[in-house]
Amino acid sequence: MTEPTTPPGAEPAGRARFARVGRVVPVAVLQVLGTLAASRWGGVRGGPPWLVRGVDAAVEPVSVGPWALALLVAGVLALPFRWWRPGLVLGIVLATTSAYAAVVSPRGPFVAALTMALANAWFRGRRTEAVVAAVLAVVWLPSADPLLGRSPGLDLGALLLAVAWATVTLVVTELVRVRLERVAERRRARADAERRRAGEERVRIARELHDSVAHSMSLINLQSGVALHLGDDLPEPTRQALEHIRDTSRGALVELRTILGVLRSVDGAPGSERNPTPGLDRLPELVERARAAGVAVDATVSGRSTELDAAVDRSAFRIVQEALTNVMKHAPTNRVGITVSIGADTLDVTVLDEPADRAGQAVRRSPPISDVGNGLIGMRERASAVGGTVRAGPHPGGGWTVVARLPTASAASPSTSPQETPDGR
């Protein structure tokens, strides 16, 4: 019957809301059916202790009329809204329970709904309202029968039972609340430690990238520029190759500096609005670079890439880039066709390379992409990270085919639904 702490006014969503409403069902069964069963039981001394009014008094059945039954049900019906207005729900349940005790002689678990409302209010920080409601219940419920003339005097056992019920409810609720807070604090501490370790690792990676890759790329860019400046009599194909090396290394340096900045940033977490790598909007530039290197490339894009999730956009571009790089290294004479189709739910990417002239040359098959470092593994990891798939294999007419299917929205995107409580309630 206890409830975890949540920010006041925060509305649970989805399964959390269903779970909170579902917890009312056993309380409703206990309060309504249990109270009806206890009220209709009759007997003498020696029966259940909560039914015995006096030492030698007989226990007569109690008639629960329509008004009393309506009050029992009304108290339960208010409980599903306890996450929204804990104080108001506590007041309603206290009023229905007190009214029930005024209508009929209370027996059985008629305080089940009030117990849940008290615990919820205590959990949600409404300590004053919970204490006041508990005191009022302890004062009124045992004294309702004597004050209304249904019994000769106040039953001391009933009073002690009411005090014990209120005390145990609040004490147990507080113990559970403290335990949940400690569990949540341990989780926060572990998450903070993991974030610190991840930040230190990002800084280390950034330092290594800067000391090795960035330095080497800078030298490549510088030396290619010097060769172009001094080589006035270079053949045109050599000059074009050097210009391609210079431009490609310059672009790679720009991307690398951006990535290093994100790695060194404390807030450089996945899902950030910062885009350290290009997306499909840079596909024409990638195609032009491949054409400058002598590869015949045709690219077709249907749909709007601006509507894609940023992670999906980056993954699609990198998959195309990796497949095209493989062709440039291992089958530069092949013709490459790139097809990108952006639908409402999925993004389909196909990269097909095949011999440019099947009649004039032997069929040439590109080596598996996995031979190029970890190219195929990297493609699959990028696709899997956003909830997609990648297939790659030889084409019947020669060459290789890479087919990727990605969701238009990344599976790793953070949910916008409210946070659930530590124990998932």
Side-chain angles (χ1 to χ4, degrees):
M1 297 181 185
T2 57
E3 293 295 321
T5 54
T6 54
E11 178 180 344
R15 288 181 299 177
R17 184 187 295 126
F18 176 79
R20 292 193 172 194
V21 174
R23 291 190 189 94
V24 178
V25 174
V27 176
V29 172
L30 179 64
Q31 171 151 312
V32 178
L33 299 184
T35 302
L36 289 177
S39 299
R40 293 180 180 181
W41 188 90
V44 295
R45 181 186 176 191
W50 60 85
L51 298 177
V52 178
R53 289 288 177 179
V55 176
D56 297 318
V59 179
E60 298 295 336
V62 174
S63 176
V64 179
W67 283 109
L69 182 60
L71 290 170
L72 282 177
V73 175
V76 173
L77 292 178
L79 290 177
F81 303 96
R82 65 197 183 281
W83 46 263
W84 183 46
R85 289 289 186 271
L88 178 61
V89 169
L90 177 60
I92 293 174
V93 177
L94 176 64
T96 57
T97 305
S98 301
Y100 176 81
V103 172
V104 298
S105 179
R107 293 183 186 176
F110 68 99
V111 292
L114 183 56
T115 303
M116 190 176 213
L118 274 175
N120 175 72
W122 189 271
F123 258 117
R124 302 292 298 276
R126 304 300 184 90
R127 309 294 175 79
T128 303
E129 292 96 322
V131 171
V132 170
V135 171
L136 292 176
V138 168
V139 171
W140 168 248
L141 297 181
S143 58
D145 279 353
L147 291 177
L148 296 176
R150 292 194 293 256
S151 65
L154 179 64
D155 188 350
L156 182 59
L159 177 61
L160 294 177
L161 184 61
V163 172
W165 160 77
T167 304
V168 169
T169 298
L170 297 183
V171 169
V172 171
T173 302
E174 177 64 12
L175 291 176
V176 175
R177 186 193 66 82
V178 171
R179 180 181 178 276
L180 290 178
E181 282 191 353
R182 289 177 179 175
V183 171
E185 182 61 32
R186 287 196 294 269
R187 290 178 178 174
R188 285 192 294 267
R190 285 197 299 267
D192 291 341
E194 291 175 359
R195 281 194 294 268
R196 285 195 298 270
R197 286 194 296 269
E200 293 171 357
E201 183 65 14
R202 288 200 306 269
V203 172
R204 187 189 67 80
I205 294 173
R207 184 170 57 250
E208 294 296 330
L209 284 174
H210 178 271
D211 293 344
S212 57
V213 180
H215 178 69
S216 301
M217 293 296 296
S218 298
L219 288 178
I220 292 172
N221 182 261
L222 176 62
Q223 291 173 359
S224 59
V226 171
L228 284 171
H229 179 71
L230 298 178
D232 294 334
D233 55 348
L234 289 174
E236 187 60 25
T238 304
R239 175 172 291 276
Q240 290 180 357
L242 287 173
E243 289 176 350
H244 180 65
I245 293 172
R246 180 196 60 190
D247 296 340
T248 303
S249 60
R250 181 185 299 131
L253 277 172
V254 172
E255 291 186 20
L256 185 58
R257 290 193 186 102
T258 306
I259 293 173
L260 292 177
V262 173
L263 286 173
R264 288 194 172 103
S265 174
V266 175
D267 298 327
S272 172
E273 293 182 357
R274 300 181 63 179
N275 189 0
T277 55
L280 291 174
D281 58 329
R282 296 276 297 277
L283 184 58
E285 179 182 339
L286 181 63
V287 170
E288 288 302 321
R289 289 183 185 178
R291 289 172 178 169
V295 180
V297 183
D298 292 322
T300 303
V301 179
S302 60
R304 300 175 59 183
S305 62
T306 54
E307 298 178 355
L308 291 174
D309 181 270
V312 174
D313 195 18
R314 291 193 296 269
S315 297
F317 177 84
R318 287 308 191 193
I319 289 171
V320 174
Q321 184 183 46
E322 184 63 36
L324 192 56
T325 301
N326 179 53
V327 177
M328 294 169 62
K329 289 184 177 181
H330 296 276
T333 60
N334 281 13
R335 182 177 61 249
V336 182
I338 301 173
T339 304
V340 178
S341 177
I342 304 173
D345 301 316
T346 59
L347 164 64
D348 294 307
V349 177
T350 303
V351 182
L352 167 64
D353 74 276
E354 54 187 353
D357 185 4
R358 292 178 182 154
Q361 66 179 19
V363 173
R364 179 178 182 179
R365 296 183 184 274
S366 303
I369 298 177
S370 57
D371 291 346
V372 188
N374 292 315
L376 183 55
I377 296 176
M379 288 184 192
R380 287 174 175 166
E381 288 176 346
R382 287 186 179 278
S384 178
V386 295
T389 58
V390 167
R391 293 184 291 105
H395 186 64
W400 272 68
T401 305
V402 175
V403 179
R405 168 161 285 190
L406 312 176
T408 53
S410 171
S413 297
S415 173
T416 58
S417 62
Q419 293 285 341
E420 289 192 3
T421 52
D423 65 340
R425 300 187 183 183

